[in-house]
Amino acid sequence: MKLAEFKKAGHWPTLLAAFLYFDISFMAWVALGPLIVYIARDMNLAVNEKFTLVAIPVLAGALLRVPMGILADIIGAKRTGIIAQLVVIAATAAVWHFGLTSKLAIELFGLALGVGGASFAVALPQASRWYPPQYQGVVMGIAGAGNMGVVLDTLLAPTIAEHWGWQAVFGCLLIPMLMVLAYYAFAAKDAPGERKKVSLQAYGALLKDSDSRWFMFFYFITFGGFVGLANALPLYFTVQYHVSGVAAGMLVALIVAFGSGFRPVGGMIADRIGGIRSLSILFGVVVAAYLVIAFMPEGPTAPTQAGWALTELPRIAWISVLLFSIGVLALGMGNGAVFQLIPLRFRHEIGLMTGLVGCAGGVGGFFLAQTLGAAKGMTGGFGAGFLFFGGLALLGFIGLAMVKVRWRTTWGAVSGARV
């Protein structure tokens, strides 16, 4: 791929604006993950309740993606994106000023943050519609790499919370949110051509197509795994390996950086070798990673109540970081591979499919966090949760083997790109 040709093929200011919009929205969406230890410190909540709280924004974001996609088709992606950013900014400003004093307040704030998670259904179609089929993998990878916002969350939020209190994190978050809103309003443009307005009936009709259901399942595994772990791992490391909140944030930032940073790489590789082959390999890596993680033992108790500092971490914690990094890298690349295929199969329904598939991915993230919390509550460990999701990844691998011949000989043969 030549950069000069790529820049001429679409509208790069919109691509950048979509990336930044998704990035800052993702930061807000997963903000509760690294902060729940601090927010709920005096609320006497059980571990499984904390996992539920960090999963609420994920579920809300998943369920809001369909109506956000419909709204974008009605009034345009740019207007929808601006409205969504204003909603999240208002909620963040309120929490910065008033705080969160009850479990109910955290739940309501989580619902508001879900609007940030729904940005997926606006930003990705907005970028995709500007580019031809041969660039869909890299375009969707770049726009979708906005999920690297979680890296900044997990890296910086615990340190800010330790020094200035957790409310200060949301005050700091407001600054880039306002800057991105200003750039997005200035630079983003909706692709030329008449918008095809859709309804819930159109989503229902698309769901009858078995291919759409396969894509939803694949993204349930890849994006669900990524966002679910991004939200759950800060709490997981503090419970399983008894690390401090700051150390947990740094570890998770390192892990999720692989997933977000390599999403465009996953799209580019899928453009070269085909999304089916790429995704099959990545599912195999995910199965292996989850299987080993499921049998990892708990780490030794820290000498102080604050937990292990980063420089004091026991070896077992670093082995776990390595395994998660490999698994999340494969999940992130898998996200890019899935979205290399979707525009080739559903070119004229990309907005609809982004909403449906994005919803499935968000539900996967909610389900993963809930499964880990339930496993801990029922068995005293997290192994059963990871075994379950490893089994889902194995089913994804089998599913690809079942559909690959049909996909390559039907719509793949006329798509204009490698499938």
Side-chain angles (χ1 to χ4, degrees):
M1 184 187 72
K2 295 181 179 180
L3 181 60
E5 293 178 359
F6 175 69
K7 289 179 67 175
K8 293 177 181 179
H11 191 254
W12 70 264
T14 296
L15 179 58
L16 177 59
F19 162 78
L20 291 173
Y21 164 41
F22 188 37
D23 186 47
I24 200 68
S25 297
F26 207 101
M27 285 181 66
W29 189 32
V30 300
L32 285 182
L35 291 176
I36 193 64
V37 174
Y38 302 95
I39 295 174
R41 181 169 282 171
D42 300 322
M43 295 185 187
N44 196 29
L45 299 176
V47 172
N48 59 326
E49 289 181 298
K50 294 178 183 178
F51 273 96
T52 298
L53 289 174
V54 301
I56 286 175
V58 181
L59 181 62
L63 298 179
L64 287 172
R65 285 180 175 185
V66 170
M68 281 274 282
I70 293 175
L71 185 62
D73 286 326
I74 295 173
I75 68 173
K78 181 172 182 176
R79 290 179 181 176
T80 304
I82 290 173
I83 292 170
Q85 288 181 72
L86 289 173
V87 170
V88 178
I89 287 171
T92 302
V95 170
W96 173 48
H97 184 71
F98 298 107
L100 295 166
T101 57
S102 67
K103 182 180 176 182
L104 177 60
I106 300 174
E107 292 169 342
L108 293 175
F109 182 49
L111 293 177
L113 293 180
V115 177
S119 62
F120 182 94
V122 179
L124 269 70
Q126 185 177 33
S128 171
R129 290 188 178 110
W130 278 102
Y131 290 86
Q134 65 268 29
Y135 293 121
Q136 286 301 311
V138 65
V139 167
M140 298 297 261
I142 291 172
N147 57 33
M148 68 176 56
V150 69
V151 179
L152 298 176
D153 260 342
T154 52
L155 182 63
L156 300 178
T159 301
I160 296 173
E162 288 279 358
H163 287 84
W164 297 287
W166 63 263
Q167 282 179 248
V169 175
F170 295 104
C172 294
L173 183 58
L174 284 171
I175 298 172
M177 290 174 80
L178 291 170
M179 293 173 64
V180 169
L181 175 60
Y183 177 77
Y184 183 86
F186 170 76
K189 294 184 184 296
D190 290 336
E194 184 179 356
R195 289 191 300 271
K196 182 181 178 181
K197 296 181 180 179
V198 297
S199 62
L200 288 175
Q201 288 78 11
Y203 281 98
L206 197 59
L207 276 172
K208 295 178 182 178
D209 189 314
S210 63
D211 288 351
S212 70
R213 298 193 297 273
W214 277 116
F215 283 128
M216 291 173 68
F217 179 57
F218 297 150
Y219 210 62
F220 181 95
I221 298 168
T222 60
F223 187 76
F226 174 82
V227 74
L229 291 175
N231 272 275
L233 282 184
L235 188 55
Y236 170 84
F237 276 108
T238 59
V239 173
Q240 182 77 354
Y241 298 112
H242 312 288
V243 306
S244 68
V246 172
M250 291 182 177
L251 294 176
V252 178
L254 173 64
I255 292 167
V256 298
F258 285 101
S260 57
F262 278 82
R263 178 170 180 149
V265 177
M268 293 176 66
I269 292 175
D271 281 337
R272 283 178 171 266
I273 70 172
I276 294 175
R277 181 182 300 174
S278 174
L279 196 55
S280 297
I281 296 170
L282 294 169
F283 274 151
V285 174
V286 172
V287 171
Y290 277 144
L291 182 63
V292 178
I293 289 168
F295 293 99
M296 291 287 287
E298 185 176 347
T301 303
T304 65
Q305 189 175 1
W308 294 105
L310 190 65
T311 56
E312 304 169 335
L313 289 182
R315 180 182 299 177
I316 190 68
W318 284 115
I319 295 174
S320 181
V321 170
L322 176 62
L323 291 170
F324 276 117
S325 297
I326 294 171
V328 171
L329 182 147
L331 290 169
M333 292 179 67
N335 292 334
V338 171
F339 266 91
Q340 183 264 353
L341 292 168
I342 290 175
L344 303 179
R345 172 62 179 86
F346 295 101
R347 178 64 177 170
H348 300 294
E349 300 91 5
I350 184 62
L352 288 167
M353 278 304 299
T354 301
L356 284 176
V357 173
C359 177
V363 171
F366 169 81
F367 196 56
L368 186 146
Q370 282 288 82
T371 301
L372 292 180
K376 180 65 175 178
M378 291 188 293
T379 67
F382 297 101
F386 288 117
L387 283 176
F388 180 80
F389 266 80
L392 288 181
L394 180 59
L395 289 177
F397 180 88
I398 295 171
L400 279 169
M402 293 170 58
V403 301
K404 65 180 181 180
V405 173
R406 177 173 62 84
W407 283 8
R408 286 171 175 164
T409 56
T410 54
W411 55 266
V414 296
S415 64
R418 296 203 67 171
V419 173

